[in-house]
Amino acid sequence: MERVGKFEKVSFEQFKAGMEGIEDSESVLKDKYDRIQLPSRATSGSAGYDLHATFDVTLAPGETVKIPTGIRVRMKEDWMLAVFPRSGLGFKYRLQLNNTVGIIDSDYYNSDNEGHIFVKLTNDTNEGKTVVIKEGDAFAQSIFMPYGITEDDETTGVRNGGFGSTGK
């Protein structure tokens, strides 16, 4: 199996900025930061690296939450990281990513926010189920994938930001 990337924590300052409005106490944030788990695979046959919640989440039907993971990823060029809800949460609760699939580009690592990965989830249940995710629980999975470009591609742009920065 080809090794194509490495997960790292973002700086505490970046994590703190991402948690604005969720938690204000610096000492609580520092404790949460220290407990961040780097993504890992559950088994040697797993394709996905589990992302873990950085705080407790309760989502009633129709509710949405943005979760700052405290994680960034460095990877080889011509690779991307795709983020999906964990299969069980999607199956049991219709838990969905607001952008359906998160795409983390290889140059996102060097963006203004250090490549901090955020995941925005919605409980889209049609059965009235509330989703409860505890801090440290795996809630999403990320899969490394290669990609190609067209023969006549001449793109020279450089990323200078996070979400939607290339469409400005």
Side-chain angles (χ1 to χ4, degrees):
M1 193 66 51
E2 185 174 0
R3 297 182 184 265
V4 299
K6 181 173 175 44
F7 291 104
E8 305 169 352
K9 285 185 184 183
V10 297
S11 68
F12 175 68
E13 292 72 25
Q14 181 56 49
F15 178 68
K16 182 176 162 182
M19 292 288 280
E20 187 175 320
I22 298 169
E23 178 59 57
D24 295 327
S25 164
E26 181 130 355
S27 63
V28 170
L29 281 174
K30 183 67 171 122
D31 288 343
K32 288 183 182 302
Y33 180 78
D34 291 342
R35 290 191 301 267
I36 290 172
Q37 300 174 53
L38 293 179
S40 60
R41 297 183 306 146
T43 69
S44 62
S46 296
Y49 283 81
D50 291 333
L51 297 173
H52 302 273
T54 50
F55 56 93
D56 292 342
V57 173
T58 300
L59 283 176
E63 288 187 333
T64 297
V65 65
K66 181 174 77 172
I67 300 176
T69 65
I71 301 298
R72 68 185 192 158
V73 62
R74 176 182 40 81
M75 68 189 109
K76 290 182 178 181
E77 279 189 49
D78 301 335
W79 283 80
M80 61 165 227
L81 187 72
V83 180
F84 308 92
R86 287 207 54 214
S87 301
L89 293 173
F91 189 81
K92 292 176 190 173
Y93 301 99
R94 287 184 56 158
L95 190 68
Q96 298 181 10
L97 270 66
N98 281 31
N99 56 346
T100 60
V101 176
I103 302 296
I104 312 298
D105 299 312
S106 62
D107 63 350
Y108 184 54
Y109 179 82
N110 295 315
S111 69
D112 291 349
N113 72 351
E114 299 178 21
H116 192 175
I117 297 171
F118 290 79
V119 179
K120 194 168 186 181
L121 299 172
T122 296
N123 178 357
D124 195 31
T125 183
N126 55 13
E127 299 173 4
K129 295 179 180 178
T130 296
V131 178
V132 176
I133 302 168
K134 295 291 187 189
E135 179 184 332
D137 285 354
F139 71 93
Q141 58 186 324
S142 54
I143 300 172
F144 289 98
M145 297 180 181
Y147 67 90
I149 58 174
T150 62
E151 292 172 3
D152 58 348
D153 187 294
E154 296 181 15
T155 304
T156 59
V158 177
R159 178 180 302 278
N160 188 25
F163 303 107
S165 64
T166 57
K168 292 180 182 174

